[in-house]
Amino acid sequence: MTVIHQPETAEANVETMDWMAAQIKMPYTLTPGQATGIFLAELAGRRLIGSRHGDELIVPAQDFSGTTGEPATGFVEVAPVGTVQAFTTGATGTIGIILIDGSTVPFVHQLLGVEPEMLELGARVEAVWADEPTGGMLDLAGFAPLGSAATFEPKDDPADLAAAFEKVDYTMTLDYRHAYGPYYGTLFDGVKDGRRIRGVKCSACRRTLLPPRALCDICLAPTAEWVDVEAVGTVQASSVVHIEFIGQRLTPPYVYAEIVLDGTSTRLIHMVGDVDPDVAQTAAAPGARVRAVWSDRHTGSLADIDHFELLPGDET
Amino acid sequence: MSGRSKSIAIVGTGQTVHARRRTDVSQAGLAREAVVEALDDAGLTMDDIDSVIVASGPAMFGAVNQPEKWLVDALGARYKPVVRVTSGGGTGLAGALAGMNQIKGGSAKRVLVVAYDKLSEGQLQASISTLYDPFWGREFAVGIMGFSAAYWHARIKRLGHTEEAAAMVGVKNRKHALANPKAHVKKEITVEDVMASRPLCWPIKVLDVPPISDGACAVILAADEDALSITESPAWIHGMAYYCEADNAADRQMIQSEPLQIAAAKVYQDAGITNPFRQFDVAELQEPYTCFELSYYEGLGLCPEGGAAELVASGETAMGGSLPVNPSGGCMGANPIGATALIRLAEAAMQVTGKAGGHQVPGASRALVQAGGGWANLRGVAVVGSEKR
Ligand SMILES: [Zn+2]
C-alpha cells in the first residue's frame, strides 16, 4: 500500500494550484481512399456518388461495407434527395442525419433553411450546392426542404467519374489547460518569482527529486521536505539539434541536454546555449558542467531559464 | 488455474506493401490490406475470428481518435470484440501480447491482431514531442530523436558505440531490405555515406534514421491443436513480455534499458534460453535509429556490455553470419511505427516457418524479437520457434 503524502509546504501553496495554457496545432493531409475520394471530387460537378456492395448501396460512397466488410463493386450516381432521420439544433445551426434515397446508410450534414420547431422526422430534403466549389465536403453545402421534386433515376457506372481526391487538408488545433498541482505549482512559483529551483527530498533515502513529487521512485517512501537546488549541474546526455520540423518550439541549431543538477538524482531537460554547434559535440558532451542563465521572462515554466551555459574547465 | 498453460502460435501473417505515402487507401483500407493477406495465409475468413486487437500509434499521428471503430467496417468485424492497444513503437508487440492473453484466459480461440500507422498524414516529430510532460522538457523535444541522440552520445563515450559502428547497422539493414519485397527503401549505402550524411540530431545523421512509412501488419493467433488444425507449420510463441520504466525515476542513466533486460530475462527463462547468441538462428530487432540496434545487442545479452561495436563489425549479425539481425531490413526498410513491432514478430514467424522467401535465413528454427515504445521506457521481447514448447 502506498499512502499519498504531501509535504506541508505543498499544502500551504494550494491557492497556487493553477493551470498552464498549452496549444497543439498541427496540419494533416488525410487520405480519403478511392470511394470517398471519388465522392468528394464529384461534389464540384454537383453529382452525389454512392458505392455498390452486392445488394447494398452506400451514399456517400465507401470503400467497404460496414455490414459485410466487402469492398465496393461499382459506383452509382444518385438523386441528391433524401429523408431526415434525426436532427439537433445548436448555436451553429441544425445538423441532420440524412438517408439519401436508395442508400442503406445515413450520414451527417447541415440542414439549411429549416425552422427546427417545424421540422419533422421523415422530412424530405434535397442537396444545396456551394456557389464556388473549394474541393471538400462543403462543396455540398447541406440539405434544404425539397422543392419541386424532379424525377431522377440512379445511374450505375456513371460516365466520366472524376479522379479520386488523394488527400484532404485538415488542421487540428487543441487548447489545453494543464493543472500545475501542488508540486509543479510550488516549483514554478519559486522559478517565476524568486528564481528558485526547488526539489523534494525523500524521507528514507534522502535523494533529491526534480521535478518534485509525492513519492520517491526508488524506495516508495513519501517525500518529506522542500530543498533549494542550485541551478548548476552536469550534462548527463546531449545532442546537437539541426533538424527543422513543423511545430518546433525552438530554432535550430541548439543543444538538447538532459542535465542532473548538483545534489539531485533526476534529469532536467533543457538546452545548452551560447556554443557553436560543431564545438558543442565535445564541449557540451556528457560530463560537461553547466549553469542556468535566467531569461527576462517570468512565465512560471522551464522557459524562464533561457539556456544553460558551459562552465569552463571541469569536464569529467 | 489448473492444467498446463496453452501454447499459442502464429498461424497467419500479412503485411501491406509499405510506402512513404499510400495515396490509394485510407487508414482503414491500409489495415484491411494486411488483414486480407493474413487471413489468406491462414486459410481463414473473418467468420473464423473471435476477437480483434487493433494496434496503432498515438491518435495524433492520423488525427482520428478511436480508429478501431473506423476499422470495424473495413475489416468486416462488426459484432466482434474489438479493442485498441497503443504503446508507441512497441504497439504491435503489446497488441500481440494482449491477443495471447485473451486466448490464455479463455475468452477467445482465434485472435486477429492488426497493427498500422499512416505516418504520411500528420506531423511526426511534433506528434511524438507530445509524449513529453508539458511542464518538463516538451519545448525542447525533437520527437524522441533529441533524446535518442543524447543517450547514444553518452553510450559513445561510455560503451564505444561509435558513429561508424552505428553506420554499419544502417549499411547492413539497408542491404538486407533489398531482398524484402515489402520494404520500400531499397538503396545500398556505405559507411562513408552514413558518416557524410547531414546531421539531424548529432550524432544521429540522415542515414541513421529509418523512413517515415505508411504500412500495416496483421497476425492471427491460435492455440495448441486448433493452431495445428489451421496450419501444419505454426510459429510457436515460446515467450513474450513487455515491461516499463518510470519516466523521471531517480538515478536513471539509460546507458542500458532496464525494462529490456527484465523482459529478456523473463522471456529467456520461459523459452529455455541460456546462451542467446548461440541458441537463436535469427533476430528481428526494432531499431528506430541505428544506434539502438547496438544497444539492444547488449541489453538482449547477444554480447557483453561494451561489445556491440565489435559484434556488428564482425559481420556475425549480417546475412550469412551466425546470428543475422533484421534480415527483413528492420525499420530501415520501412517504419510504419504502430505496425513496426508486429512486423518484427511476423517476420520472425515467417523465418521459423520457412516463409521468408528471398530474405530467408536457411533452416532457421528459433527467432528473437524485440520492440519498444517511448524513450526506453517500454520494452518488449518475444521468442518464436518452429517447435511447440
Ligand atoms: Zn527514496
Side-chain angles (χ1 to χ4, degrees), chain A residues 28-29 31 64 69 184 207 213 236 238-240 242 256 258 265, chain B residues 32 60 118 121 132-133 146 151 153 200 202 247-248 251-252:
Chain A
Y28 290 87
T29 53
T31 318
F64 310 105
Y184 275 133
R207 282 180 177 85
R213 66 204 69 177
Q236 171 162 291
S238 64
S239 57
V240 186
H242 296 274
Y256 173 99
E258 301 212 350
S265 301
Chain B
R32 178 192 167 90
M60 216 165 265
K118 204 164 184 313
E121 311 219 332
Y132 278 73
D133 183 335
Y151 283 96
H153 192 182
L200 296 177
W202 183 87
D247 199 32
N248 280 319
D251 302 345
R252 213 179 157 204

PDB file of all heavy atoms in Angstrom, chain A residues 28-29 31 64 69 184 207 213 236 238-240 242 256 258 265, chain B residues 32 60 118 121 132-133 146 151 153 200 202 247-248 251-252:
ATOM      1  N   TYR A  28      -2.608  18.353 -41.236  1.00  0.00           N
ATOM      2  CA  TYR A  28      -2.661  16.959 -41.710  1.00  0.00           C
ATOM      3  C   TYR A  28      -3.018  16.931 -43.187  1.00  0.00           C
ATOM      4  O   TYR A  28      -3.659  17.857 -43.703  1.00  0.00           O
ATOM      5  CB  TYR A  28      -3.738  16.171 -40.946  1.00  0.00           C
ATOM      6  CG  TYR A  28      -3.407  15.917 -39.512  1.00  0.00           C
ATOM      7  CD1 TYR A  28      -3.733  16.837 -38.532  1.00  0.00           C
ATOM      8  CD2 TYR A  28      -2.761  14.750 -39.129  1.00  0.00           C
ATOM      9  CE1 TYR A  28      -3.416  16.604 -37.203  1.00  0.00           C
ATOM     10  CE2 TYR A  28      -2.446  14.505 -37.800  1.00  0.00           C
ATOM     11  CZ  TYR A  28      -2.777  15.438 -36.847  1.00  0.00           C
ATOM     12  OH  TYR A  28      -2.465  15.201 -35.538  1.00  0.00           O
ATOM     13  N   THR A  29      -2.628  15.866 -43.847  1.00  0.00           N
ATOM     14  CA  THR A  29      -3.140  15.561 -45.182  1.00  0.00           C
ATOM     15  C   THR A  29      -3.744  14.162 -45.100  1.00  0.00           C
ATOM     16  O   THR A  29      -3.031  13.167 -45.112  1.00  0.00           O
ATOM     17  CB  THR A  29      -2.013  15.587 -46.238  1.00  0.00           C
ATOM     18  OG1 THR A  29      -0.949  14.733 -45.803  1.00  0.00           O
ATOM     19  CG2 THR A  29      -1.468  16.986 -46.430  1.00  0.00           C
ATOM     20  N   THR A  31      -5.978  10.849 -46.156  1.00  0.00           N
ATOM     21  CA  THR A  31      -6.231  10.100 -47.388  1.00  0.00           C
ATOM     22  C   THR A  31      -7.641   9.526 -47.342  1.00  0.00           C
ATOM     23  O   THR A  31      -7.915   8.659 -46.518  1.00  0.00           O
ATOM     24  CB  THR A  31      -5.230   8.940 -47.521  1.00  0.00           C
ATOM     25  OG1 THR A  31      -3.942   9.400 -47.145  1.00  0.00           O
ATOM     26  CG2 THR A  31      -5.201   8.413 -48.939  1.00  0.00           C
ATOM     27  N   PHE A  64     -15.600   0.244 -48.167  1.00  0.00           N
ATOM     28  CA  PHE A  64     -16.007  -1.050 -47.598  1.00  0.00           C
ATOM     29  C   PHE A  64     -17.381  -0.922 -46.954  1.00  0.00           C
ATOM     30  O   PHE A  64     -17.710   0.105 -46.378  1.00  0.00           O
ATOM     31  CB  PHE A  64     -14.989  -1.512 -46.546  1.00  0.00           C
ATOM     32  CG  PHE A  64     -13.584  -1.441 -47.051  1.00  0.00           C
ATOM     33  CD1 PHE A  64     -12.731  -0.439 -46.634  1.00  0.00           C
ATOM     34  CD2 PHE A  64     -13.127  -2.352 -47.998  1.00  0.00           C
ATOM     35  CE1 PHE A  64     -11.434  -0.343 -47.131  1.00  0.00           C
ATOM     36  CE2 PHE A  64     -11.841  -2.263 -48.506  1.00  0.00           C
ATOM     37  CZ  PHE A  64     -10.992  -1.260 -48.073  1.00  0.00           C
ATOM     38  N   GLY A  69     -18.151  -5.913 -44.680  1.00  0.00           N
ATOM     39  CA  GLY A  69     -16.716  -5.721 -44.866  1.00  0.00           C
ATOM     40  C   GLY A  69     -16.293  -5.800 -46.324  1.00  0.00           C
ATOM     41  O   GLY A  69     -15.113  -5.673 -46.640  1.00  0.00           O
ATOM     42  N   TYR A 184       4.354  20.866  -9.028  1.00  0.00           N
ATOM     43  CA  TYR A 184       4.785  21.796 -10.071  1.00  0.00           C
ATOM     44  C   TYR A 184       4.436  23.230  -9.665  1.00  0.00           C
ATOM     45  O   TYR A 184       5.148  24.178  -9.993  1.00  0.00           O
ATOM     46  CB  TYR A 184       4.135  21.462 -11.412  1.00  0.00           C
ATOM     47  CG  TYR A 184       4.855  20.407 -12.228  1.00  0.00           C
ATOM     48  CD1 TYR A 184       4.161  19.360 -12.818  1.00  0.00           C
ATOM     49  CD2 TYR A 184       6.230  20.493 -12.418  1.00  0.00           C
ATOM     50  CE1 TYR A 184       4.809  18.406 -13.573  1.00  0.00           C
ATOM     51  CE2 TYR A 184       6.890  19.534 -13.176  1.00  0.00           C
ATOM     52  CZ  TYR A 184       6.172  18.487 -13.752  1.00  0.00           C
ATOM     53  OH  TYR A 184       6.818  17.549 -14.498  1.00  0.00           O
ATOM     54  N   ARG A 207      17.409  11.082  -1.305  1.00  0.00           N
ATOM     55  CA  ARG A 207      17.647  11.598  -2.646  1.00  0.00           C
ATOM     56  C   ARG A 207      16.813  12.865  -2.850  1.00  0.00           C
ATOM     57  O   ARG A 207      15.706  12.967  -2.335  1.00  0.00           O
ATOM     58  CB  ARG A 207      17.238  10.571  -3.710  1.00  0.00           C
ATOM     59  CG  ARG A 207      18.217   9.444  -3.933  1.00  0.00           C
ATOM     60  CD  ARG A 207      17.656   8.518  -5.015  1.00  0.00           C
ATOM     61  NE  ARG A 207      18.561   7.435  -5.356  1.00  0.00           N
ATOM     62  CZ  ARG A 207      18.626   6.284  -4.700  1.00  0.00           C
ATOM     63  NH1 ARG A 207      17.846   6.064  -3.659  1.00  0.00           N
ATOM     64  NH2 ARG A 207      19.468   5.343  -5.099  1.00  0.00           N
ATOM     65  N   ARG A 213       7.788  15.613  -6.356  1.00  0.00           N
ATOM     66  CA  ARG A 213       6.688  14.638  -6.416  1.00  0.00           C
ATOM     67  C   ARG A 213       6.370  14.131  -5.022  1.00  0.00           C
ATOM     68  O   ARG A 213       7.118  14.398  -4.075  1.00  0.00           O
ATOM     69  CB  ARG A 213       7.089  13.483  -7.338  1.00  0.00           C
ATOM     70  CG  ARG A 213       8.237  12.665  -6.783  1.00  0.00           C
ATOM     71  CD  ARG A 213       9.026  11.920  -7.846  1.00  0.00           C
ATOM     72  NE  ARG A 213       9.791  12.826  -8.685  1.00  0.00           N
ATOM     73  CZ  ARG A 213      10.620  12.419  -9.661  1.00  0.00           C
ATOM     74  NH1 ARG A 213      10.772  11.131  -9.914  1.00  0.00           N
ATOM     75  NH2 ARG A 213      11.305  13.289 -10.375  1.00  0.00           N
ATOM     76  N   GLN A 236      24.103  14.972 -18.481  1.00  0.00           N
ATOM     77  CA  GLN A 236      24.075  13.505 -18.493  1.00  0.00           C
ATOM     78  C   GLN A 236      24.077  12.981 -19.927  1.00  0.00           C
ATOM     79  O   GLN A 236      24.635  11.921 -20.220  1.00  0.00           O
ATOM     80  CB  GLN A 236      22.840  13.000 -17.736  1.00  0.00           C
ATOM     81  CG  GLN A 236      22.606  11.507 -17.863  1.00  0.00           C
ATOM     82  CD  GLN A 236      21.669  10.952 -16.794  1.00  0.00           C
ATOM     83  OE1 GLN A 236      22.002  10.885 -15.624  1.00  0.00           O
ATOM     84  NE2 GLN A 236      20.481  10.558 -17.208  1.00  0.00           N
ATOM     85  N   SER A 238      23.537  14.577 -24.279  1.00  0.00           N
ATOM     86  CA  SER A 238      23.304  15.766 -25.106  1.00  0.00           C
ATOM     87  C   SER A 238      23.391  15.420 -26.583  1.00  0.00           C
ATOM     88  O   SER A 238      24.090  14.487 -26.974  1.00  0.00           O
ATOM     89  CB  SER A 238      24.340  16.849 -24.788  1.00  0.00           C
ATOM     90  OG  SER A 238      25.638  16.393 -25.134  1.00  0.00           O
ATOM     91  N   SER A 239      22.645  16.175 -27.382  1.00  0.00           N
ATOM     92  CA  SER A 239      22.719  16.021 -28.834  1.00  0.00           C
ATOM     93  C   SER A 239      22.571  17.397 -29.456  1.00  0.00           C
ATOM     94  O   SER A 239      22.056  18.319 -28.822  1.00  0.00           O
ATOM     95  CB  SER A 239      21.639  15.066 -29.344  1.00  0.00           C
ATOM     96  OG  SER A 239      20.348  15.506 -28.966  1.00  0.00           O
ATOM     97  N   VAL A 240      23.037  17.522 -30.696  1.00  0.00           N
ATOM     98  CA  VAL A 240      23.025  18.822 -31.357  1.00  0.00           C
ATOM     99  C   VAL A 240      21.910  18.809 -32.402  1.00  0.00           C
ATOM    100  O   VAL A 240      21.979  18.065 -33.391  1.00  0.00           O
ATOM    101  CB  VAL A 240      24.385  19.124 -32.017  1.00  0.00           C
ATOM    102  CG1 VAL A 240      24.385  20.552 -32.566  1.00  0.00           C
ATOM    103  CG2 VAL A 240      25.522  18.941 -31.011  1.00  0.00           C
ATOM    104  N   HIS A 242      19.768  19.852 -35.391  1.00  0.00           N
ATOM    105  CA  HIS A 242      19.801  20.597 -36.657  1.00  0.00           C
ATOM    106  C   HIS A 242      18.473  20.493 -37.388  1.00  0.00           C
ATOM    107  O   HIS A 242      18.147  21.332 -38.213  1.00  0.00           O
ATOM    108  CB  HIS A 242      20.898  20.041 -37.585  1.00  0.00           C
ATOM    109  CG  HIS A 242      22.292  20.195 -37.044  1.00  0.00           C
ATOM    110  ND1 HIS A 242      23.050  21.317 -37.220  1.00  0.00           N
ATOM    111  CD2 HIS A 242      23.051  19.345 -36.293  1.00  0.00           C
ATOM    112  CE1 HIS A 242      24.224  21.168 -36.624  1.00  0.00           C
ATOM    113  NE2 HIS A 242      24.255  19.979 -36.059  1.00  0.00           N
ATOM    114  N   TYR A 256      20.308  19.963 -27.326  1.00  0.00           N
ATOM    115  CA  TYR A 256      19.368  19.304 -26.419  1.00  0.00           C
ATOM    116  C   TYR A 256      20.184  18.670 -25.302  1.00  0.00           C
ATOM    117  O   TYR A 256      21.167  17.969 -25.574  1.00  0.00           O
ATOM    118  CB  TYR A 256      18.602  18.229 -27.199  1.00  0.00           C
ATOM    119  CG  TYR A 256      17.702  17.340 -26.368  1.00  0.00           C
ATOM    120  CD1 TYR A 256      16.332  17.582 -26.288  1.00  0.00           C
ATOM    121  CD2 TYR A 256      18.207  16.234 -25.678  1.00  0.00           C
ATOM    122  CE1 TYR A 256      15.504  16.768 -25.544  1.00  0.00           C
ATOM    123  CE2 TYR A 256      17.380  15.417 -24.928  1.00  0.00           C
ATOM    124  CZ  TYR A 256      16.028  15.683 -24.862  1.00  0.00           C
ATOM    125  OH  TYR A 256      15.206  14.866 -24.121  1.00  0.00           O
ATOM    126  N   GLU A 258      20.103  16.754 -21.288  1.00  0.00           N
ATOM    127  CA  GLU A 258      19.500  16.247 -20.060  1.00  0.00           C
ATOM    128  C   GLU A 258      20.540  16.456 -18.969  1.00  0.00           C
ATOM    129  O   GLU A 258      21.654  15.932 -19.046  1.00  0.00           O
ATOM    130  CB  GLU A 258      19.077  14.794 -20.242  1.00  0.00           C
ATOM    131  CG  GLU A 258      18.076  14.665 -21.398  1.00  0.00           C
ATOM    132  CD  GLU A 258      17.045  13.564 -21.243  1.00  0.00           C
ATOM    133  OE1 GLU A 258      17.193  12.734 -20.323  1.00  0.00           O
ATOM    134  OE2 GLU A 258      16.084  13.545 -22.035  1.00  0.00           O
ATOM    135  N   SER A 265      18.976  13.675  -8.088  1.00  0.00           N
ATOM    136  CA  SER A 265      19.146  12.328  -8.648  1.00  0.00           C
ATOM    137  C   SER A 265      18.326  12.137  -9.908  1.00  0.00           C
ATOM    138  O   SER A 265      18.092  11.010 -10.332  1.00  0.00           O
ATOM    139  CB  SER A 265      18.709  11.288  -7.610  1.00  0.00           C
ATOM    140  OG  SER A 265      19.471  11.429  -6.436  1.00  0.00           O
TER     141      SER A 265
ATOM    142  N   ARG B  32      -6.916  -3.033 -43.656  1.00  0.00           N
ATOM    143  CA  ARG B  32      -7.614  -4.159 -44.278  1.00  0.00           C
ATOM    144  C   ARG B  32      -6.675  -4.978 -45.178  1.00  0.00           C
ATOM    145  O   ARG B  32      -6.747  -6.211 -45.215  1.00  0.00           O
ATOM    146  CB  ARG B  32      -8.790  -3.643 -45.114  1.00  0.00           C
ATOM    147  CG  ARG B  32      -9.540  -4.758 -45.835  1.00  0.00           C
ATOM    148  CD  ARG B  32     -10.500  -4.214 -46.874  1.00  0.00           C
ATOM    149  NE  ARG B  32     -10.948  -5.282 -47.733  1.00  0.00           N
ATOM    150  CZ  ARG B  32     -12.028  -6.030 -47.501  1.00  0.00           C
ATOM    151  NH1 ARG B  32     -12.752  -5.798 -46.432  1.00  0.00           N
ATOM    152  NH2 ARG B  32     -12.375  -6.996 -48.326  1.00  0.00           N
ATOM    153  N   MET B  60      -2.748  11.075 -32.447  1.00  0.00           N
ATOM    154  CA  MET B  60      -2.317  12.331 -33.053  1.00  0.00           C
ATOM    155  C   MET B  60      -1.589  12.120 -34.388  1.00  0.00           C
ATOM    156  O   MET B  60      -1.528  13.015 -35.211  1.00  0.00           O
ATOM    157  CB  MET B  60      -1.411  13.047 -32.072  1.00  0.00           C
ATOM    158  CG  MET B  60      -1.567  14.536 -32.086  1.00  0.00           C
ATOM    159  SD  MET B  60      -0.802  15.265 -30.645  1.00  0.00           S
ATOM    160  CE  MET B  60      -2.208  15.399 -29.565  1.00  0.00           C
ATOM    161  N   LYS B 118      -0.339   5.340 -40.522  1.00  0.00           N
ATOM    162  CA  LYS B 118      -0.251   6.017 -41.824  1.00  0.00           C
ATOM    163  C   LYS B 118       0.419   7.356 -41.552  1.00  0.00           C
ATOM    164  O   LYS B 118      -0.220   8.394 -41.434  1.00  0.00           O
ATOM    165  CB  LYS B 118      -1.654   6.158 -42.431  1.00  0.00           C
ATOM    166  CG  LYS B 118      -1.628   6.297 -43.938  1.00  0.00           C
ATOM    167  CD  LYS B 118      -2.995   6.049 -44.555  1.00  0.00           C
ATOM    168  CE  LYS B 118      -2.960   6.091 -46.074  1.00  0.00           C
ATOM    169  NZ  LYS B 118      -2.241   7.209 -46.648  1.00  0.00           N
ATOM    170  N   GLU B 121       0.288  11.178 -43.014  1.00  0.00           N
ATOM    171  CA  GLU B 121      -0.840  12.100 -42.891  1.00  0.00           C
ATOM    172  C   GLU B 121      -0.597  13.240 -41.913  1.00  0.00           C
ATOM    173  O   GLU B 121      -1.203  14.298 -42.041  1.00  0.00           O
ATOM    174  CB  GLU B 121      -2.093  11.314 -42.483  1.00  0.00           C
ATOM    175  CG  GLU B 121      -2.289  10.092 -43.371  1.00  0.00           C
ATOM    176  CD  GLU B 121      -3.726   9.793 -43.739  1.00  0.00           C
ATOM    177  OE1 GLU B 121      -4.617  10.143 -42.961  1.00  0.00           O
ATOM    178  OE2 GLU B 121      -3.936   9.194 -44.802  1.00  0.00           O
ATOM    179  N   TYR B 132       6.267  14.140 -24.257  1.00  0.00           N
ATOM    180  CA  TYR B 132       6.921  14.807 -23.130  1.00  0.00           C
ATOM    181  C   TYR B 132       5.877  15.447 -22.225  1.00  0.00           C
ATOM    182  O   TYR B 132       4.863  15.976 -22.691  1.00  0.00           O
ATOM    183  CB  TYR B 132       7.870  15.901 -23.632  1.00  0.00           C
ATOM    184  CG  TYR B 132       9.229  15.426 -24.083  1.00  0.00           C
ATOM    185  CD1 TYR B 132       9.384  14.742 -25.270  1.00  0.00           C
ATOM    186  CD2 TYR B 132      10.361  15.681 -23.318  1.00  0.00           C
ATOM    187  CE1 TYR B 132      10.633  14.321 -25.694  1.00  0.00           C
ATOM    188  CE2 TYR B 132      11.622  15.263 -23.746  1.00  0.00           C
ATOM    189  CZ  TYR B 132      11.755  14.591 -24.926  1.00  0.00           C
ATOM    190  OH  TYR B 132      12.991  14.180 -25.345  1.00  0.00           O
ATOM    191  N   ASP B 133       6.176  15.441 -20.936  1.00  0.00           N
ATOM    192  CA  ASP B 133       5.437  16.186 -19.926  1.00  0.00           C
ATOM    193  C   ASP B 133       5.388  17.657 -20.364  1.00  0.00           C
ATOM    194  O   ASP B 133       6.425  18.250 -20.651  1.00  0.00           O
ATOM    195  CB  ASP B 133       6.221  16.030 -18.606  1.00  0.00           C
ATOM    196  CG  ASP B 133       5.551  16.701 -17.415  1.00  0.00           C
ATOM    197  OD1 ASP B 133       4.780  17.664 -17.621  1.00  0.00           O
ATOM    198  OD2 ASP B 133       5.829  16.265 -16.289  1.00  0.00           O
ATOM    199  N   GLY B 146      15.946  13.836 -30.330  1.00  0.00           N
ATOM    200  CA  GLY B 146      16.889  14.570 -29.492  1.00  0.00           C
ATOM    201  C   GLY B 146      17.333  13.727 -28.316  1.00  0.00           C
ATOM    202  O   GLY B 146      18.529  13.628 -27.999  1.00  0.00           O
ATOM    203  N   TYR B 151      21.433  10.121 -25.614  1.00  0.00           N
ATOM    204  CA  TYR B 151      21.912   8.949 -24.866  1.00  0.00           C
ATOM    205  C   TYR B 151      22.818   8.064 -25.714  1.00  0.00           C
ATOM    206  O   TYR B 151      23.665   7.353 -25.175  1.00  0.00           O
ATOM    207  CB  TYR B 151      20.740   8.194 -24.217  1.00  0.00           C
ATOM    208  CG  TYR B 151      20.303   8.959 -22.995  1.00  0.00           C
ATOM    209  CD1 TYR B 151      19.243   9.853 -23.047  1.00  0.00           C
ATOM    210  CD2 TYR B 151      21.017   8.865 -21.806  1.00  0.00           C
ATOM    211  CE1 TYR B 151      18.895  10.618 -21.946  1.00  0.00           C
ATOM    212  CE2 TYR B 151      20.676   9.618 -20.697  1.00  0.00           C
ATOM    213  CZ  TYR B 151      19.620  10.490 -20.768  1.00  0.00           C
ATOM    214  OH  TYR B 151      19.294  11.247 -19.667  1.00  0.00           O
ATOM    215  N   HIS B 153      24.997   9.500 -27.608  1.00  0.00           N
ATOM    216  CA  HIS B 153      26.214  10.272 -27.336  1.00  0.00           C
ATOM    217  C   HIS B 153      26.865   9.764 -26.033  1.00  0.00           C
ATOM    218  O   HIS B 153      28.079   9.551 -25.968  1.00  0.00           O
ATOM    219  CB  HIS B 153      25.831  11.744 -27.230  1.00  0.00           C
ATOM    220  CG  HIS B 153      26.983  12.703 -27.239  1.00  0.00           C
ATOM    221  ND1 HIS B 153      26.813  14.053 -27.102  1.00  0.00           N
ATOM    222  CD2 HIS B 153      28.324  12.517 -27.345  1.00  0.00           C
ATOM    223  CE1 HIS B 153      27.991  14.663 -27.138  1.00  0.00           C
ATOM    224  NE2 HIS B 153      28.922  13.754 -27.285  1.00  0.00           N
ATOM    225  N   LEU B 200      21.024  15.365 -38.189  1.00  0.00           N
ATOM    226  CA  LEU B 200      19.673  15.801 -37.814  1.00  0.00           C
ATOM    227  C   LEU B 200      19.664  16.180 -36.341  1.00  0.00           C
ATOM    228  O   LEU B 200      19.269  17.274 -35.971  1.00  0.00           O
ATOM    229  CB  LEU B 200      18.656  14.685 -38.096  1.00  0.00           C
ATOM    230  CG  LEU B 200      18.496  14.320 -39.568  1.00  0.00           C
ATOM    231  CD1 LEU B 200      17.524  13.159 -39.727  1.00  0.00           C
ATOM    232  CD2 LEU B 200      18.025  15.514 -40.391  1.00  0.00           C
ATOM    233  N   TRP B 202      22.761  15.488 -34.081  1.00  0.00           N
ATOM    234  CA  TRP B 202      24.052  14.817 -33.973  1.00  0.00           C
ATOM    235  C   TRP B 202      24.175  14.161 -32.602  1.00  0.00           C
ATOM    236  O   TRP B 202      23.820  14.798 -31.621  1.00  0.00           O
ATOM    237  CB  TRP B 202      25.208  15.815 -34.180  1.00  0.00           C
ATOM    238  CG  TRP B 202      26.524  15.109 -34.134  1.00  0.00           C
ATOM    239  CD1 TRP B 202      27.185  14.508 -35.149  1.00  0.00           C
ATOM    240  CD2 TRP B 202      27.308  14.886 -32.955  1.00  0.00           C
ATOM    241  NE1 TRP B 202      28.323  13.917 -34.684  1.00  0.00           N
ATOM    242  CE2 TRP B 202      28.426  14.132 -33.343  1.00  0.00           C
ATOM    243  CE3 TRP B 202      27.152  15.239 -31.599  1.00  0.00           C
ATOM    244  CZ2 TRP B 202      29.402  13.723 -32.424  1.00  0.00           C
ATOM    245  CZ3 TRP B 202      28.118  14.832 -30.691  1.00  0.00           C
ATOM    246  CH2 TRP B 202      29.236  14.082 -31.105  1.00  0.00           C
ATOM    247  N   ASP B 247       9.328   7.348 -15.877  1.00  0.00           N
ATOM    248  CA  ASP B 247       9.908   8.347 -16.766  1.00  0.00           C
ATOM    249  C   ASP B 247      10.962   9.198 -16.065  1.00  0.00           C
ATOM    250  O   ASP B 247      12.053   9.417 -16.588  1.00  0.00           O
ATOM    251  CB  ASP B 247       8.796   9.239 -17.310  1.00  0.00           C
ATOM    252  CG  ASP B 247       9.236   9.985 -18.552  1.00  0.00           C
ATOM    253  OD1 ASP B 247      10.053   9.440 -19.308  1.00  0.00           O
ATOM    254  OD2 ASP B 247       8.763  11.108 -18.767  1.00  0.00           O
ATOM    255  N   ASN B 248      10.618   9.691 -14.897  1.00  0.00           N
ATOM    256  CA  ASN B 248      11.524  10.594 -14.187  1.00  0.00           C
ATOM    257  C   ASN B 248      12.105   9.943 -12.941  1.00  0.00           C
ATOM    258  O   ASN B 248      12.382  10.612 -11.953  1.00  0.00           O
ATOM    259  CB  ASN B 248      10.791  11.880 -13.798  1.00  0.00           C
ATOM    260  CG  ASN B 248      10.686  12.835 -14.970  1.00  0.00           C
ATOM    261  OD1 ASN B 248      11.634  12.990 -15.738  1.00  0.00           O
ATOM    262  ND2 ASN B 248       9.541  13.462 -15.121  1.00  0.00           N
ATOM    263  N   ASP B 251      18.052   8.319 -10.501  1.00  0.00           N
ATOM    264  CA  ASP B 251      19.221   7.515 -10.886  1.00  0.00           C
ATOM    265  C   ASP B 251      19.081   6.881 -12.264  1.00  0.00           C
ATOM    266  O   ASP B 251      19.730   5.884 -12.566  1.00  0.00           O
ATOM    267  CB  ASP B 251      19.498   6.392  -9.861  1.00  0.00           C
ATOM    268  CG  ASP B 251      19.720   6.929  -8.460  1.00  0.00           C
ATOM    269  OD1 ASP B 251      19.942   8.146  -8.328  1.00  0.00           O
ATOM    270  OD2 ASP B 251      19.666   6.137  -7.511  1.00  0.00           O
ATOM    271  N   ARG B 252      18.218   7.428 -13.112  1.00  0.00           N
ATOM    272  CA  ARG B 252      18.018   6.809 -14.428  1.00  0.00           C
ATOM    273  C   ARG B 252      19.157   7.217 -15.354  1.00  0.00           C
ATOM    274  O   ARG B 252      19.274   8.375 -15.745  1.00  0.00           O
ATOM    275  CB  ARG B 252      16.670   7.267 -14.993  1.00  0.00           C
ATOM    276  CG  ARG B 252      16.018   6.208 -15.826  1.00  0.00           C
ATOM    277  CD  ARG B 252      14.685   6.622 -16.368  1.00  0.00           C
ATOM    278  NE  ARG B 252      14.432   5.804 -17.548  1.00  0.00           N
ATOM    279  CZ  ARG B 252      13.635   6.149 -18.527  1.00  0.00           C
ATOM    280  NH1 ARG B 252      12.994   7.282 -18.487  1.00  0.00           N
ATOM    281  NH2 ARG B 252      13.473   5.357 -19.562  1.00  0.00           N
TER     282      ARG B 252
END
